[in-house]
């Protein structure tokens, strides 16, 4: 009975979303995107699309999303939004971070990306435009991937903080006590593999079109670079997402090396009480900021 009710609820929700979608004006970018997608399919092999295409998407988006945070350090007005104001970014740290990123991206992540072609072939994941999912279904699957990744990240990240193994793996990521956007994927190669597994679990379970690979990596990069940015920007649209952790949440983790283990949402930290110190600290900071206004 409960299963039938759940199916009925999801069906009703799906119909409601479809109805709202039918009322929206036609997307002017849809036709150019369709032409570009079909051009890609006609001129490149599936292996080239899933391997080199995915690498290009990751590299371009990663450094593009890092660019605003990088520029903030040169804009005096933005300094008031920096969370750890006493720890400014340095060229030395950013250059060191950049070199490690290139190693991780091309020597660790690229071999994993090569496997996506064989994954799509084995499970017959479609590439064609005709089976491209609607935007709301794509968004729903990305949300599912985020929930899966966040759960994996919380428990494995917490394990990496165990005193017996912390110094061997996760300590690398905590080298910079005040995080900055580019540091999001600065990590030990083993950590890249361990925590990165959570990213692929959602893909393995929910992927129904190759576009999900790129949509999910886009959302994941936006989120992880945002929480590592070191800046708490007013009117950040990501903060409108219920239970979204945000930059203050993760910045506290880097500041104190404990608590706030989740990557995207706050519910696991709330359930297990690993955000108690952050909650007290955040309330204290809000009172201080209110007095300063």
């Amino acid at each position: 009975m409960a299963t039938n009710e759940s199916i009925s609820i999801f069906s009703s929700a799906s119909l409601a979303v479809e109805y709202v979608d039918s009322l929206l004006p036609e997307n002017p970018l849809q036709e150019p995107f369709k032409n570009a997608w079909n051009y890609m399919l006609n001129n490149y092999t599936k292996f080239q699309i899933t391997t080199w295409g995915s690498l290009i998407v990751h590299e371009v988006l990663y450094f593009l999303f890092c660019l605003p945070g990088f520029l903030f350090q040169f804009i005096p007005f933005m300094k008031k939004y920096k969370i750890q104001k006493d720890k400014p970014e340095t060229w030395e740290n950013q250059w060191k971070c950049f070199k490690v990123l290139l190693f991780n991206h091309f020597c660790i992540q690229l071999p994993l990306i090569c496997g996506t072609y064989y994954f799509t072939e084995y499970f017959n994941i479609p590439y064609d435009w005709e089976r491209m999912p609607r935007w709301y279904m794509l968004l729903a699957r990305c949300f599912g991937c985020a929930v899966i990744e966040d759960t994996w990240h919380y428990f494995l990240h917490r394990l990496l903080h165990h005193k017996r193994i912390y110094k061997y793996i996760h300590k690398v990521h905590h080298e910079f006590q005040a995080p900055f956007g580019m540091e999001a994927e600065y990590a030990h190669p083993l950590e890249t593999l361990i925590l990165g597994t959570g990213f692929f679990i959602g893909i393995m379970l929910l992927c129904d079109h190759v576009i999900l690979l790129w949509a999910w990596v886009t959302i994941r990069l936006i989120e992880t670079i945002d929480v590592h940015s070191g800046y708490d920007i007013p009117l950040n649209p990501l903060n409108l997402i219920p239970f979204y952790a945000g930059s203050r949440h993760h910045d506290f983790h880097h500041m104190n090396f404990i608590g706030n283990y989740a990557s995207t949402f706050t519910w696991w930290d709330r359930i297990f009480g690993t955000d108690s110190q952050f909650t007290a600290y955040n309330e204290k900071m809000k009172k201080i900021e209110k007095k300063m206004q």
Side-chain angles (χ1 to χ4, degrees):
M1 182 67 70
T3 302
N4 291 334
E5 289 179 358
S6 298
I7 293 173
S8 178
I9 291 172
F10 284 120
S11 297
S12 300
S14 178
L15 289 172
V17 173
E18 287 181 15
Y19 175 71
V20 172
D21 182 52
S22 68
L23 299 177
L24 296 175
E26 186 176 348
N27 184 355
L29 298 177
Q30 182 168 335
E31 195 63 27
F33 180 60
K34 177 183 177 180
N35 294 334
W37 188 267
N38 286 328
Y39 176 86
M40 178 184 70
L41 293 180
N42 293 331
N43 290 274
Y44 300 96
T45 66
K46 289 182 178 181
F47 180 82
Q48 290 173 325
I49 292 170
T50 54
T51 303
W52 304 117
S54 296
L55 177 67
I56 292 171
V57 167
H58 180 272
E59 295 306 299
V60 170
L61 291 181
Y62 189 89
F63 291 105
L64 180 65
F65 294 153
C66 287
L67 184 59
F70 176 78
L71 296 176
F72 287 165
Q73 64 185 307
F74 305 110
I75 305 174
F77 176 78
M78 297 305 298
K79 290 182 179 179
K80 64 180 179 179
Y81 300 122
K82 184 168 174 57
I83 300 170
Q84 297 187 55
K85 294 180 175 60
D86 58 329
K87 298 181 179 68
E89 299 90 340
T90 66
W91 284 107
E92 181 183 1
N93 286 344
Q94 290 173 103
W95 176 240
K96 182 178 182 180
C97 178
F98 180 72
K99 290 187 292 184
V100 172
L101 282 177
L102 291 183
F103 174 82
N104 283 346
H105 287 180
F106 290 94
C107 298
I108 307 298
Q109 294 182 10
L110 180 57
L112 296 176
I113 292 173
C114 289
T116 57
Y117 165 73
Y118 301 100
F119 164 76
T120 60
E121 287 295 290
Y122 183 81
F123 289 101
N124 295 316
I125 304 298
Y127 288 64
D128 57 284
W129 177 263
E130 288 69 26
R131 285 179 284 181
M132 180 83 68
R134 298 291 295 173
W135 65 268
Y136 48 85
M137 293 304 299
L138 189 62
L139 194 61
R141 288 180 181 272
C142 284
F143 176 73
C145 287
V147 172
I148 292 169
E149 191 282 331
D150 183 69
T151 301
W152 175 272
H153 191 102
Y154 175 84
F155 291 103
L156 273 295
H157 182 196
R158 189 172 178 180
L159 178 63
L160 289 175
H161 271 271
H162 191 283
K163 60 182 180 181
R164 292 186 178 180
I165 59 176
Y166 171 78
K167 64 181 179 180
Y168 299 110
I169 302 175
H170 193 52
K171 186 178 179 180
V172 173
H173 183 66
H174 278 280
E175 183 175 340
F176 310 122
Q177 192 174 4
F180 47 92
M182 194 166 56
E183 192 228 358
E185 292 185 348
Y186 179 88
H188 190 285
L190 277 178
E191 178 174 340
T192 300
L193 294 173
I194 293 169
L195 296 185
T197 299
F199 174 89
F200 290 103
I201 292 175
I203 292 294
M204 293 176 66
L205 295 176
L206 300 174
C207 190
D208 63 342
H209 194 281
V210 72
I211 191 64
L212 182 68
L213 296 170
W214 295 350
W216 170 220
V217 77
T218 300
I219 290 175
R220 180 68 180 119
L221 288 179
I222 290 174
E223 178 277 324
T224 191
I225 291 171
D226 177 60
V227 301
H228 284 91
S229 67
Y231 290 83
D232 185 20
I233 308 299
L235 304 178
N236 183 343
L238 293 176
N239 292 331
L240 298 175
I241 301 172
F243 300 103
Y244 179 65
S247 56
R248 280 190 178 273
H249 188 271
H250 195 69
D251 202 281
F252 182 84
H253 174 78
H254 275 264
M255 192 190 310
N256 297 277
F257 307 103
I258 192 170
N260 294 10
Y261 298 111
S263 60
T264 307
F265 305 108
T266 58
W267 50 59
W268 287 116
D269 282 296
R270 291 184 182 182
I271 290 171
F272 290 99
T274 46
D275 67 341
S276 57
Q277 292 186 31
F278 168 71
T279 302
Y281 169 81
N282 205 32
E283 289 299 321
K284 180 180 177 181
M285 293 305 296
K286 285 180 179 178
K287 291 179 181 178
I288 294 175
E289 290 173 358
K290 190 174 182 180
K291 288 181 179 178
M292 293 176 64
Q293 291 177 352

